[in-house]
Amino acid sequence: MSITNTPTSNDACLSIVHSLMCHRQGGESETFAKRAIESLVKKLKEKKDELDSLITAITTNGAHPSKCVTIQRTLDGRLQVAGRKGFPHVIYARLWRWPDLHKNELKHVKYCQFAFDLKCDCVCVNPYHYERVVSPGIDLSGLTINSSAGHSSSMIVKDEFDFDGQQSVSSIDGSHSLQTIQHPPTSSRPPPSESFPTPTLLPPPEPSTSASTASFPAVAAGSGNPTSAWPRNGFTPTIPHHSNGHLQHHPPIPHPAHYWPVHNELAFQPPISNHPAPDYWCSIAYFEMDVQVGETFKVPSSCPIVTVDGYVDPSGGDRFCLGQLSNVHRTEAIERARLHIGKGVQLECKGEGDVWVRCLSDHAVFVQSYYLDREAGRAPGDAVHKIYPSAYIKVFDLRQCHRQMQQQAATAQAAAAAQAAAVAGNIPGPGSVGGIAPAISLSAAAGIGVDDLRRLCILRMSFVKGWGPDYPRQSIKETPCWIEIHLHRALQLLDEVLHTMPIADPQPLD
C-alpha cells in the first residue's frame, strides 16, 4: 500500500487493520496476526495521536520518527491474544519486524519513555522503539553459529504451552538472577569425522550441550562476573560441535554411531576413583508439587539408559512409568499436566558417571543442572534450562562435579578453621576487635555444609511446566510433575572427599 493511501486514526478500524496487516512479516498465522492487530487498534482508538504514530511507523518501516504507542501493563506483564500469552512488545515486534524474535533480544531505544523494561504503568509496543541485540551474560566464545537456525545468538527466555497447545513466549527480566535458557533441537548433520570415534585425550565432540535450572543457592547469583563462581583449575568447558549461537540444541539426524561406545569416548581417561561402581547408577523420585508420589525408582548399573515416561505399564529395569502412580491429593491441574508427559525423557549414563538427557516428549522439560549453568557461562544455580522435544544434551559431568566438590570442601574446611581461630582472637588485622570482625567475614565461606555438596550430585527435572521469577511458579516444588535424580557415583565420590576433607555442618556464631 502506498503512503498516499495510508489510513489515519480517523478511519474505520477495519481499514486500519487491513493496512497494518499488509506489513506483517509472516511469522504468525493470519488469524493470530489479525486478532493481535485488531486488539491493538481498538485499544488505541481513543488515543488518536498514538494510533497515528503506529500507522506511520509500520507503513513507513520506521523511516519516519514516531512517538510511543502504549497499552496498559497487565499484572503479569503479558498480553493474551487468541488464547496465547506473550509480552506485548515482543508480540508486535514479531508481527512487523522479526518473526523469529525472543524477548531477551530486545533493547529499547533511548528516547522511548514507556519501554517494557522501564516498568511503567503503560507499555510501549511501537516495534521501532526497540532494537534487536544479542543478550548479555552468555559466553559465546567457541560457539559455532548454525546459519540455518535463523535466530540470533543467544536466548534466555521462558516459554511454555498454554492449554490450547500453542506456545506462549515470555522472558525473564535482567533484574532477576534466575534465567531460563532454551535448548531446542537441531537438524544439522554431524560432519563425517564425528561418525567414528577417534583416539584423543578428550572425549569426541558431543552432539549438543545445554543448561539447566537450579534453585540451589550454592553460590550467590548475580555477581559481577558469573563465571568467576566456577573454579577453573585449568579446565576449559568443551562446547559441542553442534552448539549454535542461541545455546539451543537440536537433535542430530540419526547415524549408526550416534551412541558412541563408552570405551572409545573415554579412551584415555583413567577412572576418578578405584572404588567399585555402585550397583545402581541413579535413583529417581517422582513428585507432584512438594509431595513425593510412589516409591523411589533405582536404576541398576547394568541399564545405562533409562526411560521415564507418562504411561501406565509396570515399571522395572530400564523404564519408570509415572502414569500408573496414584495420588489421592492429585488436582485437576496436575492431572492435565501429567497427560502431556507422554514419552517423557531418556537418561543415559556414559563412562564413569556423565549423564545425558534426550527429550522424547512432545513438550519441553525444564532442568536444573550446575553443569549446564557453567557451560552457558552462568553462575551455579543462575539458570533454568528448557530442553526441547528431540534435543539430546549433556546435563552432568562427573569430573567437573568432583573438582567442584574438592574445591568447596577445601574452602569450607579452611574457612571453618580460620573462623575458629578468629573467634579465639588469634587472627589480628585491621578492623578486628578481638578477632570478631574477621570471623564474621569468614562465616559465609564456612557455611558450606554437606547438604550443599550433595546438591552437586542431584538433577531436577520438571515436565511440561517451568518455574522461575517470570512464571507463576517460583520453585520447582510448585510445578505439577517433576523428578529428582540422585547420581550414585557422584555421591560415592562425595563420600570419599568428605573422608579426606571432613567438614562440619555450619554453626552460627555465638
Side-chain angles (χ1 to χ4, degrees):
M1 181 177 290
S2 65
I3 299 298
T4 56
N5 294 328
T6 299
T8 69
S9 58
N10 294 319
D11 289 310
C13 286
L14 188 62
S15 300
I16 299 172
V17 171
H18 176 74
S19 174
L20 297 178
M21 281 286 288
C22 294
H23 294 270
R24 67 189 182 93
Q25 295 299 305
E28 299 285 359
S29 68
E30 183 175 352
T31 301
F32 178 85
K34 187 174 181 181
R35 292 278 295 276
I37 295 172
E38 283 177 345
S39 172
L40 179 58
V41 171
K42 288 177 181 177
K43 286 182 173 74
L44 298 175
K45 215 35 178 145
E46 300 303 318
K47 299 188 283 188
K48 293 185 180 298
D49 57 335
E50 293 188 21
L51 181 53
D52 282 326
S53 289
L54 175 69
I55 295 169
T56 299
I58 302 306
T59 56
T60 65
N61 295 324
H64 296 285
S66 54
K67 300 177 182 178
C68 284
V69 178
T70 62
I71 61 174
Q72 190 70 28
R73 181 187 289 269
T74 59
L75 288 176
D76 68 352
R78 295 189 295 174
L79 177 68
Q80 181 160 322
V81 177
R84 292 167 52 185
K85 275 192 170 184
F87 284 101
H89 64 311
V90 177
I91 290 174
Y92 294 108
R94 277 181 178 164
L95 280 180
W96 286 309
R97 296 195 71 182
W98 306 287
D100 58 351
L101 177 74
H102 288 271
K103 187 266 175 183
N104 71 295
E105 299 170 333
L106 283 182
K107 178 183 178 183
H108 65 271
V109 295
K110 292 181 180 178
Y111 52 81
C112 183
Q113 298 178 336
F114 297 95
F116 179 84
D117 292 333
L118 298 181
K119 302 190 182 303
C120 302
D121 290 337
C122 292
V123 179
C124 178
V125 295
N126 187 336
Y128 292 94
H129 277 203
Y130 295 88
E131 299 171 343
R132 189 174 188 177
V133 296
V134 175
S135 70
I138 293 293
D139 181 9
L140 300 180
S141 61
L143 288 175
T144 302
I145 296 179
N146 184 342
S147 59
S148 64
H151 301 287
S152 82
S153 10
S154 77
M155 283 192 205
I156 309 180
V157 300
K158 150 293 204 188
D159 67 352
E160 70 187 320
F161 289 85
D162 289 332
F163 290 124
D164 62 357
Q166 299 292 327
Q167 257 183 320
S168 64
V169 179
S170 43
S171 87
I172 292 170
D173 184 83
S175 62
H176 294 298
S177 61
L178 188 67
Q179 294 189 334
T180 306
I181 300 179
Q182 289 187 324
H183 306 278
T186 181
S187 56
S188 57
R189 182 181 295 275
S193 61
E194 289 187 21
S195 298
F196 303 95
T198 54
T200 171
L201 293 177
L202 292 174
E206 298 165 354
S208 57
T209 55
S210 53
S212 105
T213 30
S215 45
F216 298 140
V219 179
S223 57
N225 179 12
T227 56
S228 64
W230 295 103
R232 289 296 176 181
N233 296 337
F235 171 74
T236 302
T238 304
I239 302 295
H241 187 81
H242 298 297
S243 300
N244 58 32
H246 313 89
L247 291 174
Q248 297 192 1
H249 305 277
H250 305 254
I253 294 175
H255 58 286
H258 183 70
Y259 294 103
W260 290 5
V262 169
H263 66 273
N264 282 319
E265 183 179 17
L266 303 171
F268 294 98
Q269 291 194 354
I272 299 173
S273 168
N274 292 324
H275 197 283
D279 293 334
Y280 300 91
W281 71 266
C282 78
S283 56
I284 307 170
Y286 170 64
F287 292 83
E288 293 177 358
M289 308 293 280
D290 60 350
V291 176
Q292 182 174 348
V293 177
E295 299 294 326
T296 299
F297 182 81
K298 293 185 177 181
V299 185
S301 296
S302 58
C303 297
I305 299 177
V306 61
T307 300
V308 183
D309 60 41
Y311 300 129
V312 296
D313 298 333
S315 300
D318 61 353
R319 188 177 177 197
F320 184 19
C321 296
L322 306 179
Q324 43 96 24
L325 299 177
S326 60
N327 177 9
V328 295
H329 301 294
R330 183 171 294 151
T331 64
E332 184 180 347
I334 294 174
E335 195 65 68
R336 284 199 304 269
R338 279 168 52 86
L339 293 175
H340 294 293
I341 296 175
K343 296 179 181 178
V345 295
Q346 198 175 67
L347 306 173
E348 180 177 4
C349 180
K350 289 189 173 187
E352 192 176 353
D354 294 352
V355 179
W356 290 67
V357 167
R358 183 188 300 278
C359 181
L360 303 176
S361 174
D362 291 333
H363 295 276
V365 295
F366 296 79
V367 182
Q368 63 181 26
S369 142
Y370 287 160
Y371 170 77
L372 295 179
D373 293 342
R374 176 170 179 165
E375 291 298 291
R378 311 302 302 176
D382 198 21
V384 171
H385 301 271
K386 179 176 181 182
I387 313 303
Y388 273 72
S390 300
Y392 176 66
I393 60 177
K394 185 176 183 178
V395 294
F396 181 80
D397 185 286
L398 185 67
R399 291 178 183 276
Q400 181 192 95
C401 177
H402 187 239
R403 278 190 294 269
Q404 187 75 359
M405 287 176 196
Q406 291 176 314
Q407 188 270 339
Q408 287 197 13
T411 300
Q413 191 180 46
Q419 185 186 65
V423 171
N426 295 333
I427 302 182
S432 64
V433 181
I436 298 302
I440 294 174
S441 66
L442 289 167
S443 62
I448 299 174
V450 175
D451 285 344
D452 297 300
L453 297 179
R454 282 180 59 85
R455 291 188 181 109
L456 298 173
C457 312
I458 296 172
L459 297 169
R460 283 176 165 182
M461 182 183 305
S462 170
F463 295 97
V464 185
K465 297 292 183 180
W467 75 96
D470 200 48
Y471 287 90
R473 300 161 295 278
Q474 299 304 303
S475 160
I476 193 171
K477 293 184 178 181
E478 296 173 32
T479 62
C481 40
W482 57 281
I483 56 176
E484 184 171 85
I485 305 151
H486 290 242
L487 304 173
H488 293 185
R489 183 60 168 173
L491 290 167
Q492 196 178 54
L493 294 178
L494 174 59
D495 190 56
E496 292 184 8
V497 168
L498 293 176
H499 274 89
T500 57
M501 291 184 288
I503 62 173
D505 283 329
Q507 299 294 327
L509 290 174
D510 293 330

